[in-house]
Amino acid sequence: MRIHFEIREKLPEIIEEILNCERWTTLVKEDISGRKLVVIRDPNYNSEATVEIYAREITIKTAWSNYTYRLFVLGDNVWCEYNGAYRGLLEQNLLPTITPREGLLESEVLDSSLYGSEKRKLREYAEDNLKLKKFRRENFNEDRTGVAHFDHPKRVYDEFIKEDYVVPSSDE
């Protein structure tokens, strides 16, 4: 899935957090000609992300899943382009603060496994993704064949979320 959405943070704030965050260790691998290559590592897990920092763009690539977050300046605003699985959207431990400026559910999904390059709102994508997941569980018994209970993101939209607000399920 590939999606764009505007965020509240400014690039200098994000760079500062990447370089000086207490949640991870930071290693600057390269700092030449307007490009800084940084590796951030989670001290509690064996995970890391690679970050490329430029004057008007930051690219974060997660190591295990290869999800990519590209934060870039467009006019006076900062945007995020996420390219990865639906379940990984804003769910990574090694991410700086990324706050959607408006309701994320109204953002347009630009490319996806469900619709190809046909543009749909994230809300519709999320609902159809959940229907497909339920169909697989009911018809192919996928709960016992590797589909994890956490496979559907809690920050975006599923049966426990209404308008970007997380509501705990009754069985948790």
Side-chain angles (χ1 to χ4, degrees):
M1 174 180 85
R2 188 169 64 92
I3 185 171
H4 284 170
F5 53 93
E6 187 178 351
I7 64 174
R8 293 183 179 157
E9 293 76 22
K10 298 295 180 197
L11 233 46
E13 299 167 1
I14 296 170
I15 293 169
E16 176 65 24
E17 184 177 357
I18 289 168
L19 296 176
N20 300 301
C21 186
E22 294 178 6
R23 291 181 293 148
W24 56 68
T25 58
T26 304
L27 174 64
V28 177
K29 301 273 267 181
E30 199 175 279
D31 191 357
I32 53 172
S33 301
R35 175 184 181 258
K36 189 175 287 199
L37 181 62
V38 177
V39 173
I40 55 178
R41 290 191 177 104
D42 188 325
N44 301 313
Y45 300 97
N46 187 22
S47 63
E48 65 181 34
T50 303
V51 183
E52 288 184 75
I53 302 171
Y54 298 92
R56 297 180 54 83
E57 182 174 314
I58 300 169
T59 302
I60 303 166
K61 188 168 202 163
T62 62
W64 287 352
S65 53
N66 287 319
Y67 301 157
T68 303
Y69 297 83
R70 185 173 71 97
L71 310 171
F72 58 97
V73 176
L74 187 62
D76 293 334
N77 303 315
V78 179
W79 288 76
C80 177
E81 176 183 84
Y82 170 72
N83 197 343
Y86 170 68
R87 70 182 176 275
L89 178 60
L90 299 179
E91 289 285 326
Q92 309 300 304
N93 289 332
L94 294 173
L95 276 184
T97 305
I98 298 174
T99 311
R101 184 166 295 281
E102 296 178 5
L104 190 58
L105 296 173
E106 298 310 315
S107 299
E108 212 167 48
V109 175
L110 305 173
D111 294 302
S112 70
S113 58
L114 288 178
Y115 307 120
S117 60
E118 182 182 331
K119 294 177 175 67
R120 301 278 181 102
K121 298 288 185 193
L122 182 59
R123 173 186 315 280
E124 186 177 357
Y125 181 89
E127 289 168 350
D128 288 349
N129 191 60
L130 185 57
K131 286 176 192 172
L132 180 60
K133 182 178 179 182
K134 285 180 178 178
F135 175 81
R136 286 178 179 153
R137 284 183 172 166
E138 291 168 2
N139 293 287
F140 300 107
N141 204 16
E142 283 197 3
D143 273 341
R144 290 190 230 147
T145 59
V147 177
H149 70 282
F150 56 81
D151 196 33
H152 200 77
K154 298 215 178 343
R155 286 192 190 174
V156 181
Y157 184 85
D158 63 16
E159 68 263 45
F160 309 119
I161 294 179
K162 293 183 180 179
E163 299 305 318
D164 297 334
Y165 176 74
V166 177
V167 178
S169 76
S170 58
D171 57 16
E172 287 184 330

